Amino acid sequence: MCGIALLASGIRIDLSSLHIDSISPSSKTHLGFSFNDLKAALQRRGPDSLGTKKLLLLHSNNSNSGNSWVSSVNEEAHVLENGSNLSESFAELVFLGATLQLRGVTPVIQPLVDSSGNILVYNGELFGGIEVGSDNNDTEILMQSLGKCCSQEHRTTYNFNGHGKGSVPDVLSVIKGPWAIIYWQESSKTLWFGRDAFGRRSLLVHWPTMEDPRFLLSSVSPTSSSLQDFEVENGTSGIKFWEELSCGIYTMSLDATKSDGKFLGEMQKHEWTNVMLKELIEWERVSIEPKPEELNFSRSKTLSAELDMTSASLGPTHASVSVLAQNVLTALRESMMRRVSLHSIYQAVKFGARQKETVPVAVLFSGGLDSMILAALLDECLDPDYEIDLLNVSFDGESAPDRISAKAGIKELRRVAPLRRWRLVHIDADLSKLTWETKHVLSLINPADTYMDLNIGIALWLAARGEGWICEESSNRIDEDKHVNYTSRARILLVGSGADEQCAGYGRHRTKYKHESWLGLHEEMKLDMQRIWKRNLGRDDRCIADHGKEARFPFLDEDVIRTLLDIPLWEVADLDQPSGKGDKKILRERAIQFGSRIARESNRKNFGSNRAANQASAGSVVINVPSYFS
């Protein structure tokens, strides 16, 4: 995980093509953070290195060449705090990059600048689409690919395959994996920025206003200033300075006016050029409404699988699993392998020989279906020499439903994979004693501002910190009565995001199905996937990355999404069946592959200790900050 940012000053920006008014009286709060505040927030995300480059654009009238302007790249010098005092003949773009290095064998410091004057800050992973060698860093490989691109006006029309001269959208459209990017293309004097089609990496934007005319991009809102800038209007909080940048690829094309020499920046949003990616974004399923005979056949197969699961005479490898469920399992296994292969974990090779004590990957673990499947798949894909941390947060000690299911889950994992050393990290917390932490997380979830966002954010932040206790181990035996303080050092955290959205795991899916049948269910799931960037992933990225950890989402792999969309909806979920059975049906059938009791234990998991509050929509209430801390 990295932290990236841009501060652009001295540019009159035209946002008309994005349907955003940049100069109207703003309802946005002025957020008075300093440049050092921003650097500190980014470096929490990228603790391995922090770099800054300043691009200075100078306008000059040349009698021979007419109106012209030049650019120069410098190390960090003086950075204007609000851009208001910059000379009209100058424009300034400051790029910041803080790096958590997880790829390659040599250190990389962002921003990267190539021989042509192009500048890149990147927060993401190349899991496919562009080839990355086992010893290469993907940010450097991406810089090389972008450096070969022609400008938009000279774009060639063919499918980019990682070689030759395509356009910047061609390159970004073929990437498989999460990303957010800020890239200066010197040849066209164009700033490119954006985030992947599902928003798996955070990128916040501040559009210019009368109060603050700068154009700003950042992975996170600076921590130290956010709380003091909450406004309270009609009992609600009102940080309006930042907003989540919508998924997509954007440009700001710069030019200097002939009349007054001011720099103009024209904003534009570009289309994805990868047809297969467009299909995933549209999220259209092959088959939605079943014929009666198709539904009956599907249910008979499910019943047969359940009989196998409960049969004591059959081991997990003999259980009946449909071809469709097997396809999902294969896609997920490949997704996991891409995310945990050792050549892609920089820390594992950084100090030479592999160290057994290193825990490179951990799982956010509730003991529920999604996290159990992730843990079992991780065991299959990760070198057996390594231990696996299972991170479990509880606000109610050992009696919390998630803690009970997690303890049951780790027992089953130890039975299925006895050669692996599993650690259940018990992370206990008391909300009444987390005043500083709560204020800090409030700044991280910004611009999200509901109690549900805060509650989820605190849980994710505590899990990513990894501070808790484990049961003492001696002679390969676990002593449940002896607790040892422990902090997980894993830099990669596996998260089950996307499973509920794609497999009808939410209560609202059941409600929609009840009222509008299969088509209504499909539209609700489609809506969830198309807004997951705004409701979940940006917030989750910011809370987890604050500890210098990277969240990876195996269920949101492009190939997994494609595989699930190719499956008829009634094979993915059957909401005529009871809760814990018909929801996420395809995943429950897959769980049989890892052992019959894994499926049973995951079915026992309570839907959460806040279920009653969620049913009452209490979580969607906007936070009243002063009363919250009074």
Side-chain angles (χ1 to χ4, degrees):
M1 187 69 64
C2 301
I4 63 176
L6 169 83
L7 296 83
S9 303
I11 302 170
R12 191 165 60 201
I13 296 178
D14 178 7
L15 297 173
S16 58
S17 66
L18 302 181
H19 307 292
I20 297 171
D21 190 346
S22 61
I23 60 172
S24 63
S26 175
S27 62
K28 296 186 177 184
T29 303
H30 179 72
L31 194 58
F33 63 85
S34 70
F35 187 61
N36 287 334
D37 289 337
L38 181 57
K39 289 198 297 184
L42 295 176
Q43 193 153 30
R44 289 180 66 90
R45 297 172 58 91
D48 293 336
S49 66
L50 174 67
T52 305
K53 299 291 183 184
K54 183 170 73 171
L55 178 67
L56 190 63
L57 306 177
L58 170 64
H59 177 269
S60 63
N61 287 315
N62 187 307
S63 59
N64 296 322
S65 59
N67 228 10
S68 64
W69 51 292
V70 296
S71 59
S72 62
V73 180
N74 302 294
E75 299 294 334
E76 175 196 335
H78 177 65
V79 177
L80 298 177
E81 295 296 340
N82 57 23
S84 59
N85 298 319
L86 198 63
S87 167
E88 293 181 351
S89 297
F90 291 84
E92 180 184 82
L93 282 75
V94 180
F95 298 80
L96 298 92
T99 303
L100 171 70
Q101 186 158 349
L102 297 171
R103 302 284 286 272
V105 295
T106 56
V108 172
I109 299 176
Q110 298 194 68
L112 300 185
V113 182
D114 66 13
S115 59
S116 300
N118 302 313
I119 306 172
L120 172 66
V121 285
Y122 180 69
N123 174 29
E125 299 286 347
L126 300 183
F127 292 134
I130 299 175
E131 184 177 351
V132 180
S134 59
D135 291 337
N136 296 131
N137 177 269
D138 52 355
T139 302
E140 292 179 320
I141 297 298
L142 179 60
M143 182 63 153
Q144 294 171 17
S145 296
L146 291 170
K148 299 173 184 177
C149 291
C150 58
S151 60
Q152 276 296 103
E153 52 268 30
H154 297 102
R155 177 183 173 188
T156 55
T157 55
Y158 65 92
N159 290 327
F160 178 84
N161 61 2
H163 305 282
K165 285 190 175 181
S167 68
V168 172
D170 289 333
V171 175
L172 298 180
S173 293
V174 299
I175 294 176
K176 289 186 176 181
W179 56 266
I181 190 172
I182 305 171
Y183 177 67
W184 171 257
Q185 188 178 43
E186 173 66 17
S187 63
S188 63
K189 298 296 189 289
T190 299
L191 180 76
W192 295 85
F193 59 98
R195 58 197 293 208
D196 73 78
F198 302 102
R200 291 164 291 187
R201 290 291 175 262
S202 170
L203 193 59
L204 303 179
V205 60
H206 166 72
W207 304 112
T209 64
M210 293 181 67
E211 294 87 349
D212 191 332
R214 295 174 298 176
F215 169 62
L216 307 177
L217 295 166
S218 178
S219 297
V220 64
S221 172
T223 300
S224 63
S225 303
S226 298
L227 270 178
Q228 68 191 39
D229 291 289
F230 265 104
E231 288 182 347
V232 180
E233 298 176 358
N234 300 320
T236 64
S237 61
I239 287 188
K240 302 291 187 181
F241 187 85
W242 298 103
E243 62 183 73
E244 296 268 6
L245 181 70
S246 299
C247 301
I249 303 169
Y250 300 79
T251 53
M252 179 172 70
S253 301
L254 294 185
D255 198 2
T257 62
K258 294 183 178 181
S259 58
D260 57 12
K262 291 183 178 178
F263 283 92
L264 298 180
E266 182 182 356
M267 291 286 184
Q268 183 180 354
K269 187 172 184 180
H270 299 265
E271 294 291 326
W272 302 101
T273 63
N274 185 325
V275 175
M276 291 183 289
L277 181 60
K278 288 182 178 180
E279 291 175 353
L280 296 186
I281 296 170
E282 291 168 359
W283 215 78
E284 291 299 336
R285 190 177 297 278
V286 175
S287 301
I288 298 174
E289 298 185 87
K291 298 176 182 178
E293 58 270 22
E294 291 174 323
L295 188 57
N296 290 335
F297 179 67
S298 173
R299 288 172 176 170
S300 67
K301 288 191 303 179
T302 302
L303 179 60
S304 175
E306 290 172 349
L307 291 174
D308 280 353
M309 185 173 68
T310 56
S311 174
S313 63
L314 291 179
T317 57
H318 296 93
S320 172
V321 178
S322 71
V323 173
L324 296 176
Q326 185 61 48
N327 290 344
V328 175
L329 177 62
T330 299
L332 268 173
R333 185 180 287 114
E334 292 173 352
S335 168
M336 180 67 73
M337 186 63 74
R338 283 190 282 271
R339 283 157 177 77
V340 302
S341 58
L342 291 183
H343 79 262
S344 69
I345 302 176
Y346 173 77
Q347 190 67 18
V349 296
K350 183 176 180 180
F351 302 108
R354 190 169 57 199
Q355 300 175 349
K356 278 191 174 184
E357 295 304 315
T358 300
V359 179
V361 186
V363 181
L364 267 61
F365 190 72
S366 67
L369 178 65
D370 310 335
S371 62
M372 286 287 281
I373 289 174
L374 290 183
L377 280 170
L378 177 58
D379 174 64
E380 289 187 1
C381 298
L382 186 65
D383 188 300
D385 287 345
Y386 288 102
E387 302 162 359
I388 294 177
D389 287 347
L390 307 175
L391 308 176
N392 180 266
V393 177
S394 172
F395 295 97
D396 196 18
E398 299 301 284
S399 62
D402 279 8
R403 179 61 55 80
I404 294 170
S405 58
K407 292 170 73 172
I410 194 172
K411 287 180 180 178
E412 184 58 19
L413 289 169
R414 285 172 175 152
R415 186 190 71 82
V416 173
L419 299 181
R420 174 75 65 184
R421 187 179 181 188
W422 301 91
R423 283 198 185 104
L424 179 61
V425 184
H426 303 68
I427 301 170
D428 297 326
D430 182 347
L431 276 177
S432 65
K433 299 178 180 179
L434 296 177
T435 301
W436 178 87
E437 292 85 351
T438 300
K439 291 180 179 179
H440 183 66
V441 172
L442 270 171
S443 72
L444 294 175
I445 67 173
N446 177 29
D449 63 354
T450 70
Y451 284 102
M452 181 178 292
D453 290 313
L454 178 60
N455 292 339
I456 293 172
I458 290 174
L460 290 173
W461 188 86
L462 291 171
R465 185 172 65 175
E467 295 180 3
W469 57 270
I470 59 175
C471 295
E472 187 174 279
E473 299 181 40
S474 59
S475 301
N476 295 323
R477 299 187 62 180
I478 309 296
D479 190 337
E480 299 282 351
D481 296 322
K482 292 184 178 180
H483 301 166
V484 179
N485 290 337
Y486 177 78
T487 299
S488 176
R489 301 301 178 189
R491 303 184 105 193
I492 296 172
L493 305 186
L494 299 177
V495 187
S497 301
D500 285 314
E501 288 81 1
Q502 295 182 83
C503 300
Y506 290 126
R508 61 178 174 271
H509 294 145
R510 190 171 292 275
T511 300
K512 182 64 70 169
Y513 175 75
K514 179 180 178 181
H515 293 291
E516 299 180 28
S517 194
W518 294 101
L519 186 58
L521 172 61
H522 168 73
E523 292 299 325
E524 186 71 14
M525 294 167 67
K526 177 179 179 178
L527 177 63
D528 278 344
M529 281 298 290
Q530 292 181 338
R531 65 186 179 186
I532 192 172
W533 62 273
K534 187 172 186 177
R535 294 184 57 152
N536 301 81
L537 297 180
R539 173 201 66 203
D540 298 354
D541 171 278
R542 293 189 292 276
C543 291
I544 291 172
D546 191 58
H547 295 290
K549 309 290 179 73
E550 177 169 288
R552 294 186 178 177
F553 309 105
F555 287 104
L556 290 173
D557 181 90
E558 287 83 355
D559 291 345
V560 172
I561 297 172
R562 178 72 273 165
T563 299
L564 286 167
L565 284 174
D566 286 341
I567 297 174
L569 182 54
W570 60 92
E571 297 285 2
V572 174
D574 182 0
L575 300 188
D576 285 324
Q577 304 301 313
S579 296
K581 182 178 179 181
D583 50 298
K584 297 194 282 192
K585 168 188 165 184
I586 194 77
L587 299 185
R588 298 181 195 283
E589 189 173 349
R590 278 183 40 240
I592 299 170
Q593 284 292 86
F594 302 112
S596 59
R597 277 182 284 181
I598 281 185
R600 273 206 307 277
E601 291 296 341
S602 64
N603 286 345
R604 290 175 48 193
K605 183 182 180 298
N606 189 291
F607 287 102
S609 57
N610 290 324
R611 186 181 182 190
N614 292 343
Q615 287 177 334
S617 298
S620 62
V621 175
V622 176
I623 300 167
N624 184 328
V625 176
S627 65
Y628 190 90
F629 293 106
S630 62

